Amino acid sequence: MFELASFQKELPGHLSHKTTQSEVIIAAVAARDKKKAAAYAKKYKIPIVHSSYEELLSDPAIDAVYIALPNAYHLEWATKAKEAGKHVLLEIPSVANAEEAATLFQNPLLTRPDGPVLLEAMHFRFHPAWQKLLSLIDRENIVEVHSTQHVPRGIVPLYGSACKFHLAGGCLMALGTYNLASLRQILGAELIECLAASRNHIPPGDDQEIDRTFHAPWKFPSHAVGSIEADFMADGGYSWPLTEELPTIALPKLTIKHREAIVECDLPSDQEHVVTKIVTMWNWSLAYFYHRIDIENKHVVCTKSDGRIVKEWTETEYVKDYAGDTGVDSWVSYRFQLEAFVAKVFEKPQHSQSRPPLPDVSGPRPGSGVWIEGEDSINQMNMIDTAYIKAGLPIRTSSLKNGERKPTN
């Protein structure tokens, strides 16, 4: 077993899911406010409360830390955790910008055989439903991807770190980063350029360098275009009167359009049969709660000379996958992510001999083989930077470079 400690900015509900991993003991928690840490420890039955982050990192019983501080503090504390020999599960986004990501993930310490494990917690990528989606698409023939997410107004507080520029906040950082990761995963490539970007600010009187919404298309190789629509204070959008300020309720949605393909079949010489494949995933970022993958093949038989439609029909298949080959239906994406993290930790020589016997092969097996490399996290932050530049907003920076030290909670 290994012992996991937590740095917290607030009390994330999903942390309770991590306690179901039999090889992990959530052994300690730390916060600047020890009373807050003590309340957290009591709620989740965590035995040790440290009075500072430094004290926690000095605890020899701790093998790994989960860092969920405001974004501006990720670089500082992930670096200190690595230097203390702790493995790090790091909340998204990994840091404040691409330069910081390179500093963090290209550290020579990570390349040593006994070096610490560092993982950006892009949890949706570890869920079997996401891996199922990737198996259903043809990357070389994708022409368009559109990724949306809307968090109802009132969920993200205006006083929280996500709405503070000095804490590297913003919709693109807190929510849109998932959308960007979805584009990069689906297209299996890095962007060529950000074609345009538009955003709305949070309400006047608050931090006007913070984006409330973000819309942007990117050009990718193979002439594919990937676009996002993210809003972490969504309201309106209903067809009824007097609903403009009601919180928006909408499932995250991904639409993937493939280019037309000619179907070889027995037709008159002046006709051709083409099919267009469109794959839609509903609730892609929270697939453990509910999801559905729609695979539509739109068939058209038309004349070659003028494109007149002779016949058209659509074939649709619906797919779901909650467990994959390594889990059970009740596991959330955070649990699948933790399995991968634990598997990677036990590959290290200092832990390889201490792993308990694996479960029976007929039951769930730890580790799905999914992983996020450091270079991937660097490219992710580069995509965020290009979007902010295109939108006319400043790139976020770390508390290490701001000059003014802001409190963490």
Side-chain angles (χ1 to χ4, degrees):
M1 292 189 178
F2 73 93
E3 301 202 359
L4 178 77
S6 179
F7 292 179
Q8 293 304 325
K9 60 182 177 181
E10 53 192 35
L11 309 184
H14 71 252
L15 185 62
S16 61
H17 298 302
K18 295 185 173 68
T19 63
T20 65
Q21 218 290 349
S22 62
E23 295 170 317
V24 175
I25 299 171
I26 300 182
V29 65
R32 287 182 70 256
D33 184 340
K34 192 169 183 179
K35 290 183 179 178
K36 182 183 291 186
Y40 182 89
K42 182 178 180 181
K43 180 177 181 179
Y44 290 102
K45 299 181 173 59
I46 300 172
I48 301 170
V49 178
H50 285 296
S51 58
S52 69
Y53 304 142
E54 291 88 353
E55 182 180 293
L56 184 147
L57 292 178
S58 298
D59 187 339
I62 299 300
D63 299 297
V65 295
Y66 167 62
I67 299 177
L69 294 169
N71 304 332
Y73 293 92
H74 286 191
L75 175 62
E76 176 182 2
W77 288 103
T79 300
K80 289 180 177 179
K82 287 190 308 175
E83 292 173 348
K86 311 302 184 186
H87 307 291
V88 180
L89 181 59
L90 182 61
E91 257 307 332
I92 58 91
S94 59
V95 284
N97 57 56
E99 181 184 353
E100 293 182 10
T103 298
L104 181 64
F105 289 98
Q106 293 176 351
N107 189 312
L109 187 64
L110 297 176
T111 64
R112 290 171 30 183
D114 62 345
V117 172
L118 174 60
L119 174 64
E120 181 181 12
M122 193 68 69
H123 65 92
F124 79 90
R125 288 177 55 173
F126 294 86
H127 196 276
W130 184 256
Q131 299 306 312
K132 175 62 73 174
L133 173 71
L134 296 181
S135 74
L136 297 170
I137 60 176
D138 178 6
R139 282 175 170 160
E140 293 184 357
N141 288 305
I142 293 173
V143 293
E144 187 177 309
V145 184
H146 187 54
S147 177
T148 70
Q149 283 192 110
H150 300 84
V151 174
R153 181 171 57 83
I155 301 295
V156 177
L158 284 169
Y159 57 81
S161 63
C163 293
K164 304 300 179 186
F165 178 75
H166 73 269
L167 293 177
C171 176
L172 192 61
M173 297 287 281
L175 181 68
T177 186
Y178 290 111
N179 298 84
L180 301 188
S182 72
L183 298 185
R184 294 177 55 245
Q185 275 269 286
I186 289 165
L187 293 167
E190 302 305 333
L191 74 150
I192 295 176
E193 64 173 316
C194 183
L195 299 173
S198 62
R199 77 284 187 266
N200 291 327
H201 296 289
I202 60 175
D206 290 293
D207 198 331
Q208 292 303 290
E209 293 175 316
I210 291 295
D211 45 308
R212 165 193 160 166
T213 67
F214 213 98
H215 302 248
W218 280 264
K219 182 180 179 182
F220 283 82
S222 302
H223 306 288
V225 174
S227 58
I228 71 163
E229 178 183 323
D231 186 343
F232 69 176
M233 297 180 183
D235 53 19
Y238 301 102
S239 57
W240 314 302
L242 306 178
T243 60
E244 294 84 359
E245 295 185 2
L246 287 180
T248 300
I249 306 296
L251 289 178
K253 182 183 178 183
L254 264 171
T255 306
I256 306 161
K257 184 178 180 180
H258 296 71
R259 61 173 49 92
E260 285 185 351
I262 296 177
V263 179
E264 298 295 337
C265 57
D266 188 15
L267 287 173
S269 60
D270 65 335
Q271 295 180 7
E272 66 179 0
H273 177 184
V274 297
V275 61
T276 302
K277 181 178 179 180
I278 300 176
V279 180
T280 303
M281 184 169 182
W282 300 92
N283 214 32
W284 58 272
S285 56
L286 298 170
Y288 59 88
F289 177 71
Y290 164 80
H291 69 271
R292 194 184 76 199
I293 303 171
D294 302 351
I295 308 164
E296 291 182 288
N297 285 294
K298 296 186 175 183
H299 296 262
V300 176
V301 176
C302 60
T303 56
K304 295 179 181 179
S305 58
D306 57 7
R308 180 176 55 85
I309 295 175
V310 177
K311 182 180 180 182
E312 61 182 334
W313 71 98
T314 300
E315 299 171 342
T316 305
E317 179 183 359
Y318 304 102
V319 177
K320 297 179 183 180
D321 189 350
Y322 286 92
D325 296 326
T326 64
V328 295
D329 286 353
S330 61
W331 283 9
V332 297
S333 53
Y334 304 102
R335 172 62 187 269
F336 284 101
Q337 175 180 260
L338 188 62
E339 293 288 337
F341 183 73
V342 170
K344 189 67 71 171
V345 167
F346 278 116
E347 291 177 5
K348 295 294 180 177
Q350 64 268 40
H351 298 293
S352 60
Q353 301 303 314
S354 62
R355 186 166 200 172
L358 296 180
D360 184 88
V361 293
S362 63
R365 297 182 300 279
S368 62
V370 177
W371 192 249
I372 301 174
E373 299 292 347
E375 197 65 26
D376 194 326
S377 293
I378 295 171
N379 291 335
Q380 177 75 8
M381 290 310 306
N382 180 61
M383 196 170 182
I384 290 175
D385 287 357
T386 64
Y388 275 132
I389 292 170
K390 196 71 173 183
L393 288 174
I395 293 175
R396 277 50 183 153
T397 58
S398 165
S399 64
L400 288 175
K401 299 182 180 181
N402 286 348
E404 183 180 0
R405 302 293 298 188
K406 299 294 181 178
T408 57
N409 292 318

